[in-house]
Amino acid sequence: MTKIVFMGTPAFSAPILRMLHEEGYDIAAVVTQPDRPVGRKKVLTPPPVKEEALRLGLSVIQPEKLRGSQELEEILALNADIVVTAAFGQILPKELLEAPRLGCINVHASLLPEYRGGAPIHQAIIDGQASTGVTIMYMAEKLDAGDIISQREIAIEDTDNTGTMFDKLSAVGRELLKETMPSIIDGTNARIPQDESLVTFARNISREQELIDWNNEARALYNQVRGLHPWPVAYTTFEGANFKVWAAKVGETATNAAPGEVVKIEKDHFEVATGDGSTLALYDVQPAGKKRMTAEEFLRGTGSKLQIGDRFE
């Protein structure tokens, strides 16, 4: 029986782990990130993959940093035939990459060589892409640069956000890996080098990328908002304080108002001027120090004094 070490951390990875278990593979250990404080109360919370592994009765290893650690020695001592990773969140050291007889493979949420890096789903939506997909690939020392084994493309619908695409791509990754694993084990799989001339990157989202620039076009801002939903969430500033925008749409109002200026207020939304003479209609917001709320709730309460001509910066 093929012995696997599985490495993953977020909810994206959990269904992939579950599939490997259901298919009867020998999962020697599950490696995931340490428990982290979550929320305002900083409650120590295990990553979703750990929760799934414990439900399945699997051994869990949680290195703070893999390279040079005691946990790495534990993993190497398992003598796994293959390491399967899916959004693990750490770079694998060379000694681990070279250890398994069938290599280390990764379930990556983009159509490589596009969007190498830690935020491929966010970036594809922010960039307004019409489609993305999943790549099963061999891992190499260079980030997401290994040979491609298999790929599957799916559409990004106009109503999709990062949360919905995480779920869709997790399901695609689960099924694609299920179909691909037998060929990897028996050595009949494809192995296609990536075209370096087509490489693009999707590095982890920076705080600067979260800030709305009202000088941009309405469509670009809509893509930014949905690309950052439900995390880390786009924000602007209002009356000198941060103001999160959870959900928005391209408005229907044409305007000559300055970018960032409120130009229309309705019962369930309000519209802010953008750099192309259009507007962004805000439907789901979070003022500083408040909980997330609908725009209707905001306009009835904290934002009841909002007027046409007020500015978001």
Side-chain angles (χ1 to χ4, degrees):
M1 185 179 294
T2 304
K3 184 187 288 187
I4 294 174
V5 166
F6 182 83
M7 307 178 75
T9 299
F12 172 87
S13 316
I16 299 169
L17 170 61
R18 192 181 316 122
M19 178 277 296
L20 292 170
H21 183 266
E22 290 171 351
E23 289 297 298
Y25 291 105
D26 177 14
I27 303 173
V30 174
V31 185
T32 189
Q33 299 278 23
D35 298 1
R36 304 291 189 197
V38 172
R40 291 185 178 182
K41 295 184 178 180
K42 303 297 182 184
V43 177
L44 196 63
T45 304
V49 163
K50 178 182 179 180
E51 293 180 329
E52 184 66 28
L54 293 177
R55 277 195 293 269
L56 298 174
L58 300 172
S59 174
V60 177
I61 301 173
Q62 293 181 272
E64 184 67 47
K65 184 179 179 182
L66 195 56
R67 192 179 302 275
S69 68
Q70 178 59 43
E71 290 89 350
L72 176 59
E73 297 304 317
E74 293 176 31
I75 296 166
L76 292 171
L78 293 170
N79 294 315
D81 296 302
I82 187 169
V83 170
V84 178
T85 74
F88 172 53
Q90 294 187 38
I91 300 295
L92 270 58
K94 183 178 180 180
E95 58 263 48
L96 180 55
L97 290 173
E98 294 178 347
R101 67 178 182 86
L102 296 174
C104 298
I105 65 169
N106 183 36
V107 183
H108 183 77
S110 82
L111 297 174
L112 292 169
E114 293 183 342
Y115 298 122
R116 292 179 181 177
I121 301 174
H122 294 81
Q123 199 62 55
I125 297 173
I126 291 170
D127 290 349
Q129 297 287 3
S131 65
T132 185
V134 171
T135 300
I136 310 295
M137 56 170 288
Y138 283 105
M139 300 184 74
E141 285 190 81
K142 189 177 177 182
L143 179 65
D144 297 330
D147 292 348
I148 293 168
I149 303 170
S150 59
Q151 291 185 314
R152 183 158 297 159
E153 183 174 3
I154 64 167
I156 301 175
E157 304 294 340
D158 201 48
T159 53
D160 275 320
N161 56 46
T162 288
T164 62
M165 288 307 298
F166 257 77
D167 292 342
K168 290 180 181 182
L169 288 166
S170 176
V172 170
R174 179 189 65 216
E175 293 307 307
L176 185 59
L177 182 64
K178 181 179 177 179
E179 296 169 16
T180 304
M181 278 292 287
S183 67
I184 296 172
I185 291 167
D186 65 25
T188 60
N189 62 283
R191 187 159 188 158
I192 305 166
Q194 293 187 41
D195 185 341
E196 292 292 324
S197 69
L198 300 177
V199 171
T200 58
F201 289 94
R203 295 181 174 86
N204 291 337
I205 298 297
S206 66
R207 184 63 172 165
E208 290 73 23
Q209 287 176 284
E210 298 168 29
L211 178 62
I212 293 172
D213 181 350
W214 294 104
N215 291 299
N216 288 333
E217 297 179 356
R219 179 72 197 190
L221 296 181
Y222 169 64
N223 290 338
Q224 180 186 9
V225 169
R226 67 194 186 109
L228 297 173
H229 178 99
W231 71 92
V233 187
Y235 76 99
T236 181
T237 59
F238 181 62
E239 296 180 339
N242 287 351
F243 187 97
K244 291 183 178 181
V245 180
W246 286 81
K249 296 179 182 178
V250 175
E252 299 179 354
T253 305
T255 180
N256 293 320
E261 189 172 314
V262 176
V263 298
K264 189 175 184 179
I265 301 174
E266 298 289 344
K267 180 181 178 181
D268 64 344
H269 72 277
F270 57 96
E271 298 183 29
V272 181
T274 59
D276 61 345
S278 300
T279 64
L280 188 71
L282 278 57
Y283 283 86
D284 195 340
V285 299
Q286 186 174 358
K290 302 292 184 180
K291 294 182 178 180
R292 175 183 174 182
M293 62 186 73
T294 64
E296 184 174 353
E297 290 169 331
F298 170 71
L299 293 169
R300 287 203 311 262
T302 305
S304 60
K305 295 181 180 180
L306 186 73
Q307 297 180 1
I308 291 174
D310 286 348
R311 292 289 302 273
F312 286 82
E313 301 294 340

